[in-house]
Amino acid sequence: VEKSAEEFARRAFDLNLLDERQLESVWSELGTRNVSSTELQRVLVRRGLLTNYQVDRLARGEKAGFFYGENKVLYLVGTGSFARVYRAVQKDTGKVVAVKVLRKRFSDDPTTCEQFIREGEMGAKLRHPNIVPIYEVHSTKRNHFMVMDFIEGRNLREFVRVRKKLGEDEALQI
């Protein structure tokens, strides 16, 4: 059963994804609150107030995973064996960042959690043109994540898959 547009808007507001001013502006554009949830969602995405990723999660009734610390998740970028990487925006500065989050199934394994946090803390100490800077490492009972620069483009695995083979000089440079 589709929730009403007002219920959807309330959920987005309660989860701190939209503020009162943004909602009033959208309701004003629509001219009424008597619209379908889908119609409201379309306007929110078109205006860049929510992403399709956020809309899909809200529509499924999910309540967590929209924020990691002060970073609002925009969408999923990629998944690995142990972690997921999201494109996010820092709430205060508006800076786009990557948030690498340890998968939930590993959150109860102390060894994996320690390894993840150690990787983040060691990476945070490194500064090199070929290493993505890590700015924050967080570990709570339920969430383990690190915040780093968001780099546009492909990762090394995709780069090698497309190129098939790298020359020695190119490989050494990378």
Side-chain angles (χ1 to χ4, degrees), residues 62-76:
E62 295 186 35
K63 293 180 171 73
F66 292 99
F67 287 90
Y68 289 96
E70 293 298 309
N71 306 288
K72 179 165 58 169
V73 171
L74 300 175
Y75 58 83
L76 178 68

Side-chain angles (χ1 to χ4, degrees), residues 71-120:
N71 306 288
K72 179 165 58 169
V73 171
L74 300 175
Y75 58 83
L76 178 68
V77 174
T79 59
S81 302
F82 293 97
R84 289 190 166 100
V85 178
Y86 299 94
R87 182 182 182 125
V89 63
Q90 290 181 332
K91 207 168 169 200
D92 294 339
T93 66
K95 179 182 178 182
V96 173
V97 294
V99 179
K100 184 176 184 178
V101 182
L102 184 65
R103 288 177 175 248
K104 292 280 182 234
R105 69 173 176 249
F106 297 110
S107 293
D108 294 331
D109 177 6
T111 305
T112 306
C113 290
E114 285 173 30
Q115 192 176 341
F116 181 81
I117 297 306
R118 191 170 51 250
E119 170 194 330

Side-chain angles (χ1 to χ4, degrees), residues 112-164:
T112 306
C113 290
E114 285 173 30
Q115 192 176 341
F116 181 81
I117 297 306
R118 191 170 51 250
E119 170 194 330
E121 290 171 344
M122 288 171 51
K125 295 175 185 171
L126 301 174
R127 291 293 177 258
H128 185 276
N130 294 354
I131 298 174
V132 177
I134 298 172
Y135 300 116
E136 304 170 36
V137 180
H138 296 273
S139 181
T140 64
K141 188 172 185 158
R142 293 181 40 215
N143 286 316
H144 311 280
F145 65 94
M146 56 185 89
V147 180
M148 57 192 77
D149 266 349
F150 185 88
I151 308 295
E152 295 285 352
R154 296 186 299 231
N155 63 33
L156 182 60
R157 181 182 295 132
E158 293 166 348
F159 182 76
V160 171
R161 189 179 322 132
V162 168
R163 294 284 298 276
K164 302 290 185 227

Side-chain angles (χ1 to χ4, degrees), residues 1-3 7-8 11-12 15 17 37-38 41 50-63 66:
V1 178
E2 182 184 281
K3 299 270 187 209
E7 287 173 303
F8 185 88
R11 220 173 23 251
L15 291 169
L17 292 169
S37 183
T38 305
Q41 293 165 12
L50 292 179
T51 63
N52 284 316
Y53 176 82
Q54 293 164 332
V55 166
D56 291 345
R57 289 177 58 87
L58 282 167
R60 287 195 306 265
E62 295 186 35
K63 293 180 171 73
F66 292 99

